[in-house]
Amino acid sequence: MLRGLASTQAVLYGLKQSAHVWHSLSEKWLLNHDSRLKKSSVDPCLFVIIEENLKVVISTHVDDYIVASNDPAWIANFKNEFNKAFNISDLGRAEHVLQMAIDWGDDSVEISQKRFISELVDKYGLTDAKPVQTPMERDLQLKPAETPDVSLPYRSIIGSLQWIQRGTRPDISFAVTYLARFANCYDASHFKAAKRVLRYLNTTKDKCLVYRREPGQKVNSKLNLVAYTDSDWGTDKNDRRSYSGSVVYVNGCLVGWKCSKQHTVALSSVEAEYMALSDCTRETLYVINILKEFFNVQLPVKILCDNIGAGCMAENEINN
């Protein structure tokens, strides 16, 4: 994609500023190509045109571009001009992006990572391993090892699992977040737990994210967001800090999820749930802000919490 850029080639390869230089060059060209293209103030890699008769969304990841539009002529012209500036490869309809497979149905889109999961299963010799139905053993409590067993590829498998949970498998978020804590203090017990997560993925690799338009939903109707949040309370016996979890849906489709360990020890379940509610609110605000720049969003957005005390604290503007 970068052939013909003799003036910038020396900068683009091998230097710390390479990514920044390429992004700046790409952004400048996109904004000059069509004055109607607007860059998102929330996500600097997203460029959008939203007009009554023209809708364009361009998502960039380094030198990989996904271009979507309701006007085939606009896309054809864009690819032609882009190819003049940069020698590009047109891969057609997006089928596989960033190790995620995209399957197009008549009224839905499915995103999965079956191929990547299968490659990891083969890599770690788990092809014939016994299937499991959960990513972790119940009430699993691992202890930090005194020194990491560097003979085990623990960090490698955890990094791969993190990429999968970030892409298409929110159901392993807690397990991966928990195991990632031991990246500097792991032994065979931690590696065994990580391989169990991979066995679970192999058992359930046909599961995927599904996105479809709700029945009766109009193209220009307002987007309906809803978020859910939850927390445990001090279940980690090593430090008694709680975990926060949240998911965000847009028109019934899952678009955001997060699982993280809280930074302080909660003194009650209400406090743990309140901190989880705060984390969920930040995640929800990100989704709201990136969508409302270009689309109509139904406000206010509901954030559902299963703790009455935390809900009352959130609704009460008085500090205590």
Side-chain angles (χ1 to χ4, degrees):
M1 186 170 180
L2 301 179
R3 283 175 289 173
L5 298 180
S7 61
T8 59
Q9 203 168 29
V11 178
L12 288 172
Y13 293 101
L15 300 178
K16 293 181 179 180
Q17 65 268 36
S18 298
H20 173 71
V21 171
W22 167 246
H23 176 75
S24 299
L25 178 65
S26 171
E27 176 185 316
K28 181 179 179 180
W29 188 93
L30 287 171
L31 296 178
N32 288 337
H33 170 70
D34 192 324
S35 61
R36 295 172 294 178
L37 273 171
K38 304 297 181 183
K39 185 179 75 169
S40 168
S41 62
V42 180
D43 185 344
C45 297
L46 180 65
F47 301 84
V48 178
I49 299 175
I50 299 296
E51 295 183 348
E52 184 176 355
N53 298 321
L54 176 63
K55 293 177 174 57
V56 177
V57 177
I58 301 177
S59 175
T60 69
H61 182 85
V62 192
D63 59 352
D64 291 329
Y65 291 69
I66 298 178
V67 184
S69 175
N70 63 340
D71 187 350
W74 192 96
I75 293 183
N77 178 67
F78 172 83
K79 291 191 293 186
N80 181 58
E81 295 298 321
F82 201 39
N83 190 50
K84 292 179 181 178
F86 313 104
N87 191 1
I88 69 171
S89 297
D90 183 4
L91 303 179
R93 172 183 278 191
E95 303 287 352
H96 203 271
V97 179
L98 301 177
Q99 297 177 331
M100 294 181 287
I102 304 174
D103 296 318
W104 301 88
D106 294 334
D107 59 352
S108 64
V109 178
E110 297 181 357
I111 304 178
S112 64
Q113 290 172 281
K114 301 176 187 177
R115 188 174 76 181
F116 186 44
I117 292 172
S118 296
E119 291 173 353
L120 286 177
V121 169
D122 292 338
K123 178 180 178 180
Y124 292 102
L126 299 174
T127 304
D128 299 322
K130 184 179 179 180
V132 292
Q133 301 300 323
T134 58
M136 291 179 64
E137 297 178 14
R138 185 173 181 179
D139 298 326
L140 178 65
Q141 292 288 336
L142 295 174
K143 294 184 178 180
E146 293 185 2
T147 57
D149 186 350
V150 294
S151 65
L152 299 172
Y154 185 74
R155 294 180 182 177
S156 177
I157 191 173
I158 289 298
S160 298
L161 292 175
Q162 285 181 324
W163 183 253
I164 293 173
Q165 72 90 8
R166 284 186 60 188
T168 61
R169 296 299 298 266
D171 52 331
I172 66 169
S173 291
F174 173 76
V176 176
T177 301
Y178 176 73
L179 294 174
R181 294 185 50 238
F182 303 98
N184 292 318
C185 49
Y186 57 88
D187 56 24
S189 63
H190 303 89
F191 188 57
K192 179 182 177 181
K195 288 195 294 184
R196 179 191 172 96
V197 179
L198 188 52
R199 288 166 56 199
Y200 167 75
L201 288 173
N202 189 41
T203 304
T204 60
K205 62 183 177 183
D206 290 331
K207 292 186 179 296
C208 59
L209 293 177
V210 180
Y211 298 93
R212 58 168 53 92
R213 184 181 300 174
E214 293 182 334
Q217 180 188 352
K218 298 181 180 179
V219 175
N220 295 321
S221 60
K222 289 187 176 181
L223 299 177
N224 180 36
L225 276 67
V226 61
Y228 300 84
T229 176
D230 200 3
S231 172
D232 63 359
W233 178 36
T235 56
D236 191 331
K237 295 181 181 180
N238 293 319
D239 56 17
R240 290 302 181 182
R241 285 191 287 165
S242 309
Y243 284 86
S244 301
S246 62
V247 291
V248 182
Y249 289 84
V250 175
N251 288 350
C253 298
L254 181 62
V255 299
W257 55 88
K258 182 179 180 181
C259 179
S260 61
K261 196 167 191 179
Q262 296 178 359
H263 296 291
T264 59
V265 177
L267 302 182
S268 66
S269 60
V270 172
E271 185 177 352
E273 295 280 0
Y274 185 71
M275 285 192 283
L277 185 59
S278 175
D279 290 339
C280 180
T281 301
R282 291 196 295 271
E283 182 75 13
T284 306
L285 282 173
Y286 167 77
V287 178
I288 293 173
N289 289 335
I290 198 171
L291 288 177
K292 75 177 184 180
E293 283 189 303
F294 312 108
F295 305 100
N296 294 321
V297 177
Q298 181 67 48
L299 297 176
V301 173
K302 291 182 179 179
I303 299 180
L304 304 179
C305 173
D306 64 352
N307 187 283
I308 296 177
C312 291
M313 289 174 63
E315 293 175 353
N316 190 346
E317 298 181 357
I318 298 175
N319 283 330
N320 57 66

